[in-house]
Amino acid sequence: METESVLHPSFLVPVGHVEPVPRRIRGVIDGRTVFDTRRALYVWEWQAYPQFSIPVRDLVDGVLVDEGFAEPHGAGTAHRHTLSVGEDSRPGAAWVWGQDAPAPLRDTVRFEWAAIDHWFEEDEPVFVHPRSPYSRVDAVRSSSSVRVEVEGVVLAQAPSCVKLFETGLPTRYYLDRAHVDWTRLRSSDTVSRCPYKGTTSGYWSFDGEAAAHEDIVWAYDFPTIHANRIAGLAAFYNERVDLYVDGEPLPKPGVLTP
């Protein structure tokens, strides 16, 4: 089947763009608040989504130690720092913007996401990366029928679906579980997180005659409120299956994101 020419809206925000964050942003390590700010900035180091940049003066706990290394980070040069919180030292955890960065970024620091144990927007946890203020996630009920095949085996056939439209990504088709042939699928231990949809509650694979097709279907039993219409439904990777919508084969996209 042919590869998809882009059939969804692309990202529009240019690399290097900076915007204020109108939300309180906090980071926690080992139960200690590292930063707490209402002056955070969004900075796009790449187009897909922004990072938070935190004013150095809003560090509550922790010390930044310059490692003497700098490199371009989309919006300008950033200097790598170790973050020390109590007895916990995390090398490469922080990047302080240099003088060639846009003026609002100077005297701010961008933390590596995984270097902070817990991120919060107001009192809500944030996973994976900041939510872009320019991205939409819309779950829309649809009367489009959907058939899913792998190696010619029908794994699902549904008279309707919920279409999930997410900026920059292919449309996903969420199906009522009653229309999926679970006797053909085996569960896996895979878990993934999305800042817009939440944490997956299950993944399943298909063992075909030609090959094992790992983690081709997933579900969110308890999605975020923004995507509550997909709760309990199952979606297949367009990239890994043969998908027919209203009887027509769907071209396969090249991006893999649940």
Side-chain angles (χ1 to χ4, degrees), residues 117-148:
D117 292 346
H118 304 286
W119 290 83
F120 294 91
E121 289 183 349
E122 299 295 342
D123 293 331
E124 296 288 339
V126 187
F127 304 108
V128 187
H129 61 72
R131 303 180 185 99
S132 172
Y134 298 113
S135 292
R136 290 184 61 109
V137 178
D138 296 307
V140 181
R141 291 189 298 268
S142 173
S143 58
S144 289
S145 63
V146 176
R147 186 171 82 256
V148 180

Side-chain angles (χ1 to χ4, degrees), residues 46-91:
W46 44 83
Q47 279 195 301
Y49 54 84
Q51 295 289 338
F52 291 132
S53 200
I54 309 298
V56 173
R57 61 179 171 163
D58 288 337
L59 265 66
V60 176
D61 200 349
V63 176
L64 296 175
V65 180
D66 195 338
E67 297 179 9
F69 175 81
E71 66 180 19
H73 270 249
T77 302
H79 300 261
R80 191 173 66 195
H81 285 62
T82 293
L83 173 63
S84 295
V85 181
E87 297 182 356
D88 193 340
S89 181
R90 303 194 176 189

